[in-house]
Amino acid sequence: MKARALGLGLALLAMAGGALAPPPALAQSGPDVARAYRQANEAVILGEFAELLRYPNRAFTPELREAAVYIRDRMREAGVETELLELEGASPLVLGVVEVPGATRTLGIYVHYDGQPVDPSSWTHEPFEPTLYDAAMEAGGRPIDLPPEGAPVDPEWRIYARSAGDDKAPIAAILPVLRSFTEAGLTPTSNLVFMFDGEEEAGSRNLGTYMEMASDVLDDIDIWLFFDGPAHSSGRPQVVFGVRGASGMEVTVYGASRNLHSGHYGNWAPDTGIILARLLASMKDDDGRVLVDGWYETFDAIGDEERAALEAMPDGEDELKRELGLVRTEGEPETLPERLLLPALNVRGITSGNTGDLAANVIPNTAVASLGIRMVRGNTAEQLRELIVAHIERQGFHVVEDDPDMETRLRYPRIAKVTGGLVGSIASRTSMANPFAQSVTAAARAAAERAFGEGALVVAPGMGGTLPLYLFTDVAGKPAMVVPVANHDNNQHAPDENLRIANLWYAIDLYAALMTMPSTVF
Amino acid sequence: MKARALGLGLALLAMAGGALAPPPALAQSGPDVARAYRQANEAVILGEFAELLRYPNRAFTPELREAAVYIRDRMREAGVETELLELEGASPLVLGVVEVPGATRTLGIYVHYDGQPVDPSSWTHEPFEPTLYDAAMEAGGRPIDLPPEGAPVDPEWRIYARSAGDDKAPIAAILPVLRSFTEAGLTPTSNLVFMFDGEEEAGSRNLGTYMEMASDVLDDIDIWLFFDGPAHSSGRPQVVFGVRGASGMEVTVYGASRNLHSGHYGNWAPDTGIILARLLASMKDDDGRVLVDGWYETFDAIGDEERAALEAMPDGEDELKRELGLVRTEGEPETLPERLLLPALNVRGITSGNTGDLAANVIPNTAVASLGIRMVRGNTAEQLRELIVAHIERQGFHVVEDDPDMETRLRYPRIAKVTGGLVGSIASRTSMANPFAQSVTAAARAAAERAFGEGALVVAPGMGGTLPLYLFTDVAGKPAMVVPVANHDNNQHAPDENLRIANLWYAIDLYAALMTMPSTVF
């Protein structure tokens, strides 16, 4: 095994001490066991979560190794054979393995322990000094002390700290689930591989290499579960079958070789703002439909299961529009979940001259637009870039890659520089017809209903954002699902990030259900 | 007289000492006298110009008063009754009067002595330490010492200092002309009123008040001559019959009530960059024609003289386009001089989100365009603003004056905020058929031919930029012409401003011709 060859001593091992020995006939289900354990230890679990949150974990920093060691040690204490994989200049990958004798299925569980950079001055409290509140700050919550062991815990409390939601909550839920199983003599129904990424917020730049290093362990995985991300915008828990890829490019159009006085030349000199406006206007109609030829012929169609799931998605359109102050959205009457299954083209920014107090009487010599592109399965950044470049050319522009020299300027009446967009992160989608995915959905549905009531689970064919799922689906060739637990208003990537305690309890229910889901579904 | 009532002791007075007594039959014309004087005193005139340039004259600063006193004293020395008009918190207006017994015509001569602010760090030399060069810096010129009295002066030398071109050169030329007349016993053929504005670069904010204060003197003026501005872009001297007015307005369009993640919402949230682009694109076609209804029905048509002058303008299009790296201009095949007689609409700037390294994965919640408007005679800022607002409304926008509140956002699918544009500086045009203007043109033509050769003078019906000419033409109801002398590459408003010495000599020829032009033309 490669991992062994690297001296990691990593293998699929039965959990230590026989505590997770093959199951006897059990009176209690996995979720029951985990919930009972949680209810008996709420203040302790919360205290451990706070301890984990105190480890600084700013992306790109060496401080991450301490957090990795801490996670490794806690996983080992919970009975999981766990090692650090380390590459020079990279954060360690924490890899833990639970081999279950007789199990015919292996779940890969992905969590990341690094967090977004913080600017403490915009936080109410120190980002790495977790602070408990009796409700969300916006709802008038007040800071309270962490409860002593045995004291009751209100599920509406929130704990504020960097990574409370993104993505330490899953770690804080995995550990008590594993301990509850050990205590009850319960064994998971699948082999488990835990992978804690220390570079997610840094673009998971070494994850591919780490995954190759651990391929002997990872090759056996049947489905990857991403314990990351927030609940659906409706507030309901969700499972997600795909993410969009992302790329960006920049378009610069040119007027005269220098800024010109708008009095002396206005009405005669090319008006770069208008030239860019006319180009951008040609790319998208008033309803938000992308007018770039071929744009909607580039990707894989969705299947019947996805269409059915779309129909079953909660109708949050009106509420979301009200929240965002919108009467009209792009592509109406299509809904947000439907729109997220299409490749998107957006203007991320425009700069030309100045506005406001800085506006001067000039005709700016350039106008620049930054385009954001979101891809769905079947798209590549290069392919969409080609379509956009062809579109720009059809609008009469000579397309260049560098600022034009005088000779080029004097040859072409319209010149556009296009930069970027050649590479991007890749979209991913797992078929809802996949039998492993169906088992996971069933287990998540049960956990969500137990925690939040009947019909609580949202099953989303795809989300709009971007995660490195393609490393799992396209590179490693496995199905992969996102199984989030954080509250939708957890302020991830922002100041005052937080986790609602009820969502931590849901995570415990959910993970217990996933680790003990019946094998009979497939 | 109001001016007297203010204790200014100002009146139309014969020049002191009888030096400018009624002319005997003179052997020499005014231009001959002035040229002979100049040729005998080139180094002295240059030294006096340098002395004037050493007076700091940053717009808006109290240092301007010292420059005003200096000019008053030099004008008095040259035999002109000169006073300062002063308003609290304003730069003084320097007013000088030459009354010529028997003259039937009064010329108003406008110059300004304030200059644009300076950033010395971008200058090659201290902006108020005039430095002589043996040629333009860009042509490889080298700094040389000011010549001693009697030493020869090369007309291709350049003197570098703030306001060398804009607008102290006229002052440095007026003084020797007046002195040469005194020395030769020559009298101008018109009464002269000299007005030195100290706030031109500050928008001449008190000029209207000063002109009212001096109305008794100014009411007698038959034509105003603006000794300001550069030569035609071809390098040839020019006279100009009009200026455009200017105003600006800002248009903001709205998306969601906050920036949205381009992954989670891209393809669904309104794309502010596209919304603004489509709005701007609707305002102007690909040929630069303004598509705002009524835009070209707002102004006074030009007459036969203006059309004839346009035909006679030098064809500098190809050269200018080559210089600016342009294959194509707005409104082709119309030329720059023709285009400057139309109201212009330009995008001065666009800001929305960010581009380059600062581009983020957001859909910006606003996009802002700053529009620059140039008006021609007949236009008002308010009228053009109304047309633009009506156009924006026709594109489906609800137009507001403040950022919309949530209620407004939830009522209108498209909202545009329009600010500014209610007031602007006013365009001005003097008819070429005006007899005083014809005399001035003839005198300027003669001076230009003498200095630069046959057919040198460019007669321009209008220039693109903006000067407060309307105070003279529309408020005071007088014809007014711009009669510039500075070299076209004088870097006005920019670092390393300079004057070519040949242009100072031309100014002396020109002013002598204007002050002694025959009365018989009208």
Side-chain angles (χ1 to χ4, degrees):
Chain A
M1 277 175 73
K2 233 187 239 173
R4 268 203 197 107
L6 287 163
L8 298 168
L10 204 72
L12 294 175
L13 295 169
M15 284 181 80
L20 294 183
L26 282 167
Q28 275 196 300
S29 72
D32 285 342
V33 163
R35 181 170 272 215
Y37 178 90
R38 183 261 292 177
Q39 285 168 335
N41 295 283
E42 288 186 348
V44 172
I45 294 168
L46 191 53
E48 284 179 350
F49 188 20
E51 186 173 285
L52 174 64
L53 292 171
R54 278 189 199 100
Y55 280 83
N57 69 338
R58 286 165 272 243
F60 294 101
T61 62
E63 72 195 19
L64 284 160
R65 192 172 189 283
E66 271 183 67
V69 167
Y70 176 82
I71 294 164
R72 179 197 63 191
D73 294 348
R74 294 294 83 67
M75 288 293 283
R76 285 180 175 174
E77 280 173 16
V80 180
E81 181 77 9
T82 308
E83 299 293 341
L84 300 192
L85 272 66
E86 299 198 63
L87 288 168
E88 181 78 27
S91 299
L93 188 85
V94 186
L95 199 62
V97 174
V98 176
E99 193 184 357
V100 178
T104 56
R105 181 178 55 190
T106 302
L107 304 182
I109 291 167
Y110 172 97
V111 186
H112 68 90
Y113 65 89
D114 65 328
Q116 279 276 313
V118 287
D119 170 10
S121 70
S122 14
W123 285 66
T124 306
H125 303 280
E126 282 297 312
F128 298 111
E129 190 41 68
T131 311
L132 195 62
Y133 268 66
D134 61 7
M137 284 182 186
E138 309 84 62
R142 310 285 306 232
I144 51 173
D145 288 336
L146 281 169
E149 194 175 329
V153 171
D154 184 334
E156 290 308 323
W157 289 353
R158 301 219 178 190
I159 189 159
Y160 284 84
R162 170 54 86 222
S163 293
D166 180 23
D167 186 33
K168 285 180 174 174
I171 306 171
I174 287 168
L175 292 166
V177 170
L178 292 171
R179 280 201 301 264
S180 74
F181 286 8
T182 305
E183 223 171 64
L186 187 72
T187 308
T189 53
S190 309
N191 301 310
L192 306 175
V193 177
F194 295 97
M195 190 166 80
F196 300 90
D197 184 0
E199 298 191 326
E200 199 270 348
E201 303 293 1
S204 297
R205 27 185 199 157
N206 296 294
L207 187 57
T209 309
Y210 277 135
M211 286 176 72
E212 264 183 57
M213 284 165 65
S215 61
D216 285 357
V217 171
L218 306 185
D219 281 350
D220 292 329
I221 289 170
D222 293 302
I223 186 165
W224 273 102
L225 305 180
F226 268 60
F227 287 3
D228 193 9
H232 186 257
S233 58
S234 63
R236 289 162 52 186
Q238 63 177 344
V239 292
V240 183
F241 284 79
V243 295
R244 293 201 284 193
S247 72
M249 53 197 281
E250 202 145 291
V251 181
T252 304
V253 301
Y254 298 85
S257 54
R258 54 183 166 89
N259 288 339
L260 292 178
H261 189 282
S262 61
H264 297 326
Y265 296 98
N267 240 19
W268 177 86
D271 190 352
T272 45
I274 294 289
I275 293 170
L276 182 67
R278 295 184 59 81
L279 177 57
L280 293 176
S282 75
M283 292 186 182
K284 225 165 156 183
D285 72 13
D286 196 45
D287 295 323
R289 186 176 167 80
V290 177
L291 301 173
V292 172
D293 252 21
W295 189 262
Y296 295 110
E297 294 149 26
T298 53
F299 56 92
D300 302 347
I302 58 172
D304 292 341
E305 288 83 1
E306 284 76 16
R307 250 186 297 278
L310 278 178
E311 302 260 315
M313 297 265 307
D315 180 7
E317 293 288 304
D318 287 349
E319 197 185 326
L320 192 59
K321 285 164 72 174
R322 207 157 40 238
E323 181 196 327
L324 297 172
L326 295 173
V327 175
R328 183 178 169 199
T329 55
E330 287 196 341
E332 280 188 343
E334 288 180 336
T335 62
L336 177 57
E338 291 174 277
R339 300 291 293 172
L340 298 184
L341 296 173
L342 296 172
L345 178 65
N346 265 102
V347 178
R348 299 193 299 187
I350 305 179
T351 45
S352 179
N354 268 307
T355 61
D357 291 342
L358 297 173
N361 284 326
V362 295
I363 304 168
N365 61 343
T366 60
V368 184
S370 176
L371 303 179
I373 294 163
R374 294 286 163 163
M375 296 174 276
V376 297
R377 198 176 62 183
N379 289 142
T380 66
E382 207 179 351
Q383 158 208 47
L384 295 182
R385 185 189 198 278
E386 270 174 31
L387 294 181
I388 290 172
V389 167
H391 176 88
I392 295 172
E393 286 172 341
R394 267 196 303 277
Q395 309 308 307
F397 289 82
H398 175 66
V399 173
V400 295
E401 289 178 5
D402 298 297
D403 286 330
D405 58 17
M406 216 44 167
E407 199 187 325
T408 307
R409 285 173 175 278
L410 289 173
R411 188 173 305 153
Y412 302 100
R414 291 273 187 269
I415 300 172
K417 179 177 74 171
V418 176
T419 54
L422 281 167
V423 290
S425 55
I426 296 163
S428 165
R429 198 193 300 144
T430 284
S431 167
M432 288 184 166
N434 178 283
F436 295 103
Q438 292 190 344
S439 291
V440 170
T441 305
R445 191 184 308 282
E449 299 202 337
R450 182 166 190 170
F452 301 110
E454 201 176 344
L457 190 74
V458 175
V459 179
M463 59 179 250
T466 298
L467 288 171
L469 274 194
Y470 76 98
L471 282 175
F472 303 82
T473 53
D474 293 56
V475 179
K478 312 283 188 182
M481 294 173 64
V482 188
V483 187
V485 296
N487 37 301
H488 78 291
D489 57 353
N490 74 108
N491 292 340
Q492 69 178 73
H493 292 205
D496 294 337
E497 182 175 352
N498 67 85
L499 192 85
R500 177 170 160 254
I501 304 306
N503 287 64
L504 188 61
W505 298 167
Y506 165 60
I508 289 171
D509 287 352
L510 173 67
Y511 299 163
L514 291 170
M515 291 184 202
T516 57
M517 61 191 189
S519 305
T520 47
V521 175
F522 55 95
Chain B
M1 281 175 66
K2 233 189 240 172
R4 271 204 196 103
L6 287 163
L8 298 169
L10 204 71
L12 293 177
L13 296 168
M15 282 181 81
L20 293 182
L26 281 169
Q28 276 197 299
S29 73
D32 285 342
V33 163
R35 181 171 274 214
Y37 179 87
R38 182 263 290 176
Q39 284 166 339
N41 296 284
E42 289 187 347
V44 173
I45 295 168
L46 192 54
E48 285 178 348
F49 188 20
E51 186 173 284
L52 174 63
L53 293 171
R54 279 189 199 101
Y55 281 82
N57 69 339
R58 285 165 274 243
F60 294 101
T61 63
E63 71 195 19
L64 284 159
R65 193 173 188 284
E66 271 182 67
V69 168
Y70 175 82
I71 294 164
R72 179 196 64 192
D73 294 349
R74 295 292 82 69
M75 288 293 285
R76 285 180 175 173
E77 279 172 17
V80 181
E81 182 78 9
T82 309
E83 300 292 342
L84 299 191
L85 272 66
E86 301 198 62
L87 288 168
E88 180 80 25
S91 298
L93 189 83
V94 186
L95 200 61
V97 175
V98 175
E99 192 182 359
V100 178
T104 56
R105 179 178 56 191
T106 303
L107 304 181
I109 291 167
Y110 171 97
V111 187
H112 68 91
Y113 65 90
D114 65 327
Q116 279 277 313
V118 287
D119 169 13
S121 69
S122 15
W123 285 66
T124 306
H125 303 281
E126 280 298 310
F128 298 111
E129 190 42 66
T131 309
L132 195 62
Y133 268 64
D134 61 7
M137 284 181 185
E138 309 84 61
R142 310 284 305 231
I144 53 174
D145 287 338
L146 281 170
E149 193 174 331
V153 171
D154 184 334
E156 291 308 324
W157 290 352
R158 302 221 176 187
I159 190 160
Y160 284 85
R162 168 55 84 222
S163 292
D166 179 24
D167 185 34
K168 285 180 174 173
I171 306 171
I174 287 167
L175 292 167
V177 171
L178 293 171
R179 280 201 302 263
S180 74
F181 287 8
T182 305
E183 223 172 63
L186 187 73
T187 308
T189 54
S190 309
N191 301 310
L192 306 174
V193 177
F194 295 96
M195 190 167 79
F196 301 89
D197 184 1
E199 298 191 327
E200 199 270 348
E201 303 294 0
S204 295
R205 28 188 197 153
N206 295 295
L207 187 57
T209 310
Y210 277 134
M211 288 176 70
E212 265 183 58
M213 285 164 64
S215 60
D216 286 358
V217 172
L218 306 185
D219 280 352
D220 292 329
I221 289 170
D222 293 301
I223 186 165
W224 274 101
L225 304 180
F226 268 61
F227 288 1
D228 193 10
H232 186 255
S233 58
S234 63
R236 291 162 52 185
Q238 64 177 344
V239 292
V240 183
F241 284 80
V243 295
R244 294 200 283 193
S247 72
M249 51 198 281
E250 201 145 292
V251 181
T252 304
V253 301
Y254 297 85
S257 53
R258 53 182 167 88
N259 289 338
L260 292 179
H261 188 283
S262 61
H264 298 326
Y265 296 98
N267 239 20
W268 178 86
D271 190 352
T272 46
I274 294 289
I275 293 170
L276 182 67
R278 295 184 60 82
L279 176 57
L280 294 175
S282 75
M283 292 186 180
K284 226 167 158 182
D285 72 13
D286 196 44
D287 295 323
R289 187 177 167 81
V290 177
L291 302 173
V292 172
D293 252 22
W295 190 261
Y296 296 109
E297 293 150 27
T298 53
F299 56 92
D300 301 349
I302 58 172
D304 292 342
E305 290 82 0
E306 284 76 15
R307 249 186 296 277
L310 277 178
E311 302 262 315
M313 297 264 309
D315 180 7
E317 293 287 304
D318 287 349
E319 198 185 326
L320 192 59
K321 284 163 71 174
R322 210 159 34 241
E323 181 195 328
L324 297 172
L326 295 173
V327 176
R328 183 179 171 198
T329 55
E330 288 197 340
E332 281 188 343
E334 289 181 336
T335 61
L336 178 57
E338 293 175 276
R339 300 291 294 171
L340 298 184
L341 296 173
L342 296 172
L345 178 65
N346 265 103
V347 178
R348 301 192 299 186
I350 307 178
T351 45
S352 180
N354 270 306
T355 62
D357 290 344
L358 296 173
N361 283 326
V362 295
I363 304 168
N365 61 341
T366 61
V368 184
S370 175
L371 302 179
I373 294 163
R374 294 286 163 164
M375 296 173 278
V376 296
R377 197 176 61 183
N379 288 141
T380 65
E382 206 178 352
Q383 159 208 48
L384 294 182
R385 184 188 198 278
E386 268 173 32
L387 294 181
I388 290 173
V389 167
H391 176 88
I392 295 173
E393 286 172 340
R394 267 195 303 278
Q395 308 309 308
F397 288 83
H398 174 66
V399 173
V400 295
E401 290 177 6
D402 298 297
D403 286 329
D405 57 17
M406 215 43 167
E407 198 187 326
T408 307
R409 286 173 174 277
L410 289 173
R411 187 172 306 152
Y412 302 100
R414 290 275 186 268
I415 301 171
K417 179 176 72 169
V418 176
T419 54
L422 282 167
V423 291
S425 54
I426 295 162
S428 165
R429 197 193 300 145
T430 284
S431 167
M432 288 184 167
N434 179 282
F436 295 102
Q438 290 189 346
S439 292
V440 170
T441 304
R445 192 185 307 282
E449 298 201 337
R450 181 166 191 169
F452 300 112
E454 201 176 342
L457 190 75
V458 175
V459 179
M463 57 180 252
T466 298
L467 288 172
L469 275 194
Y470 77 97
L471 282 175
F472 304 83
T473 53
D474 292 57
V475 178
K478 312 284 188 182
M481 293 173 64
V482 188
V483 188
V485 296
N487 38 301
H488 77 293
D489 56 353
N490 74 107
N491 291 341
Q492 70 178 73
H493 292 204
D496 294 336
E497 181 172 353
N498 67 85
L499 192 83
R500 177 171 161 251
I501 304 306
N503 287 66
L504 187 61
W505 298 167
Y506 164 61
I508 290 172
D509 287 353
L510 173 67
Y511 299 165
L514 291 170
M515 292 183 201
T516 58
M517 62 191 186
S519 305
T520 47
V521 175
F522 56 95

